Amino acid sequence: MRPLLFLDVDGPLIPFGGTSPHPAYAPEPPPDAHPLLHRVDPAHGPRLAALGCALVWATTWGQEANEVLAPRLGLPPLPVVDWPDEDDDPVAAGLHWKTRALAARAEGRPYVWLDDEITDADRAWARAHHPAPALLHRVDPATGLTAADYATVSSWVGACRVAEYGTRAG
Ligand SMILES: [Mg+2]
């Protein structure tokens, strides 16, 4: 079974912060749109699709990610994680508010999570609580997803396949 890939938007796909200017891949968006939308590199779509994972939006963008971002990236509409109400499910100290919800959504499957806010606390929690391999990979929001990030995910997915099927061709 293909690993899930939970994808954050602000940071990994829409870079922000840092000291170097961000390239623009489209004209400046209209005033009623997300102000940094022109920073989304359409090449991320095919790169993400080539990772061999089932892509899932894991962002506060919700369904808007399918309406606004998927077409720019050349991706089909993707499943969207619904977030728990924090009043019902308070976040444990030090953990990201997405961490437990994503492990629950994975339902025991291997998963990758790409986000600019992941810390060691989230990784430790996933190791202790998720029964399958999980790659919680922090993306630098100043650059967004880089070739090095894709290489890390790709080799992890390859190792997962070896573990599951005993062959990279599996
Ligand atoms: Mg983010």
Side-chain angles (χ1 to χ4, degrees), residues 7-28:
L7 182 60
D8 178 37
V9 169
D10 294 297
L13 290 179
I14 301 182
F16 62 87
T19 50
S20 30
H22 298 285
Y25 295 94
E28 295 265 342

Side-chain angles (χ1 to χ4, degrees), residues 109-143:
R109 289 171 66 176
Y111 69 91
V112 179
W113 174 23
L114 298 176
D115 200 299
D116 56 306
E117 295 181 345
I118 291 167
T119 67
D120 283 342
D122 304 303
R123 296 188 188 97
W125 187 93
R127 263 197 307 277
H129 294 92
H130 193 63
L135 173 66
L136 279 62
H137 181 73
R138 181 181 175 271
V139 176
D140 184 350
T143 57

